[in-house]
Every structure is written in C-alpha cells, then in structure tokens.
Amino acid sequence: MNKLHIIWDLDGTLINSENEVLEALVKSVRQAGLSEKDQKAPFRVGPTIDKILDAAFSSEHLTLEKKTEIIKAFRDNYDNCGFNNTPAFDKIEEILADSRFIHHIVTNKPDLATSRILKKLGWSNFFASVITPYSYMKSSDDKRKTKTELFALCMSDYPNEKFLAIGDMETDSKAALNNSIMSIGVLWGTGTKEELETSGCNFITESVSDLKKILVEEI
C-alpha cells in the first residue's frame, strides 16, 4: 500500500517562529527609519514579508524604496538570528518520525532560513522535499510562485499517489483545494478558525494528538 504524502506548512504549523520573525522585522523597520507608530495595523506573521509590510503600513510611509530596504535588512537580520527562540510545536516530531507518512514542506520562508531551522531541529532527513517560493526562481526579478503552484510542483514528482496538506493559514487550505487534495487546518498558528472554515478545510484541529488521529484514519 502506498504511503500517505503530507505537505506541511512550516511557520505556525511545525514551528513557532513568530517571536524571532517579529523581532527581526521590528529591527529592520527601525533601521529603515520607520517605527510602530507609523503602522496602520500590527504585523501578522504568516504571509511573505512584502505582504506583511503592505498590510501594516500605508503607501504614504511604505514607498517601494523603503519596502525594498526593509526586506533586505530583514533577510540579513533574520537569517543570522541563530533561531534559538524558534521551537517545534510540542509532539509534532512524533508525526514527522512516523514511517507511515512521506513528508514535504511548502513554505513562504526563503531557503537559507528554512534549511538552518531544519538543521538546528535535527529535521533535515525527515522531508522528501522542501519547497519555497524561491526554489524555482532563476533571478531576483522572477515572479515568485504561489502556494497553489508550489503544491502542484511538489505533487508532480509523485503521480497517482495520495496527498493531503496541513497548515495554519487559509493560503494552505486554498492551495490544497486548488490541487484537489484534502487539507487539515491547525489552530495553534496565526490563522483563525473562521478563516480556515471559509477557505475549504476538510478538518480543523486544536491539538497535535487529534491531528495524528486524523492522519492515521486517512492512511
């Protein structure tokens, strides 16, 4: 019998990276001459950094030049933060170590930070593939692929095999729906129950133990 393939989101699903992302983002914004008082909304970790900034600042404060400066500073600040305050969610490793599943990651996080986090956690060998929006970019001018496109790329290497997706954001469940696979929304990340319900999740769970039960039933 074929094993079940799982496409995992990373931030807010496998790891709690919120504190270090926010610390690096606030530092980068200040380096660019802006501050929290200039924001129209608080930062919300999950989307790509450009989208986080677009949601937090008006165009009056966030010019294209300023946004480019912040993103560049963030990449340096975050990629070199050491990831000492980015823990895995409790008991999630038990699922990753379960040989009944084949694991993949599709994340908005760039390659360098992703690989450093996986190495620090000792997870580098758990995943058959790790795919980011930057994985298929030949130059910095290339358009980043959407999660829907990245899911399709991940699945293309395993035709006719069963996949499902797990994530904490509506972008994860919508990408699964667009690729005709099931999705499980988890509530320990930054996404809300309402967002997950309206984005087409097949299951929504509040605990890792319940998540494992759902996965075993789907084998």
Side-chain angles (χ1 to χ4, degrees), residues 4-10 13-14 96 101-107 127-131 147-156 158 161-168 171-173 175-176 179 181-186 211 215:
L4 175 65
H5 291 258
I6 302 173
I7 299 177
W8 294 90
D9 175 49
L10 184 58
T13 303
L14 290 172
L96 297 179
F101 310 115
I102 298 174
H103 302 284
H104 309 266
I105 288 177
V106 173
T107 176
F127 299 97
S129 64
V130 178
I131 299 174
K147 274 209 166 180
T148 292
E149 293 171 319
L150 296 176
F151 272 37
L153 286 165
C154 178
M155 295 167 60
S156 67
Y158 305 89
E161 297 194 28
K162 184 176 180 180
F163 277 80
L164 64 75
I166 303 173
D168 69 311
T171 50
D172 304 305
S173 48
N179 282 281
I181 64 173
M182 294 177 60
S183 64
I184 304 173
V186 301
L211 173 60
L215 292 174

Side-chain angles (χ1 to χ4, degrees), residues 32-211:
L34 297 177
S35 69
E36 293 91 327
K37 69 179 181 181
D38 299 314
Q39 294 180 217
K40 64 178 181 179
F43 295 130
R44 188 186 186 196
V45 175
T48 54
I49 297 302
D50 57 335
K51 291 181 179 179
I52 294 175
L53 293 171
D54 287 338
F57 292 99
S58 67
S59 57
E60 175 188 358
H61 292 102
L62 190 70
T63 63
L64 178 58
E65 181 181 5
K66 190 69 71 174
K67 181 163 70 170
T68 301
E69 182 182 353
I70 294 171
I71 292 172
K72 184 176 184 299
F74 176 82
R75 288 271 65 88
D76 184 59
N77 290 327
Y78 184 67
D79 289 349
N80 295 289
C81 71
F83 308 107
N84 294 315
N85 296 313
T86 296
F89 285 106
D90 191 35
K91 297 184 179 180
I92 204 77
E93 189 170 315
E94 293 178 11
I95 300 177
L96 297 179
D98 193 324
S99 61
R100 291 174 291 183
F101 310 115
I102 298 174
H103 302 284
H104 309 266
I105 288 177
V106 173
T107 176
N108 286 324
K109 193 183 292 297
D111 302 275
L112 180 59
T114 299
S115 63
R116 286 181 173 174
I117 290 170
L118 295 182
K119 183 178 180 180
K120 191 172 186 67
L121 292 171
W123 286 2
S124 299
N125 294 325
F126 278 144
F127 299 97
S129 64
V130 178
I131 299 174
T132 81
Y134 310 88
S135 301
Y136 297 88
M137 292 175 64
K138 295 179 181 178
S139 74
S140 59
D141 295 327
D142 286 353
K143 183 178 179 181
R144 290 196 298 265
K145 293 187 180 297
T146 65
K147 274 209 166 180
T148 292
E149 293 171 319
L150 296 176
F151 272 37
L153 286 165
C154 178
M155 295 167 60
S156 67
D157 288 332
Y158 305 89
N160 304 317
E161 297 194 28
K162 184 176 180 180
F163 277 80
L164 64 75
I166 303 173
D168 69 311
M169 301 286 288
E170 59 183 341
T171 50
D172 304 305
S173 48
K174 286 180 178 179
L177 184 64
N178 291 338
N179 282 281
S180 302
I181 64 173
M182 294 177 60
S183 64
I184 304 173
V186 301
L187 294 177
W188 51 80
T190 58
T192 67
K193 185 176 182 180
E194 291 72 25
E195 288 170 340
L196 293 171
E197 285 176 339
T198 58
S199 60
C201 269
N202 299 93
F203 301 96
I204 298 176
T205 180
E206 296 181 351
S207 72
V208 175
S209 58
D210 285 343
L211 173 60

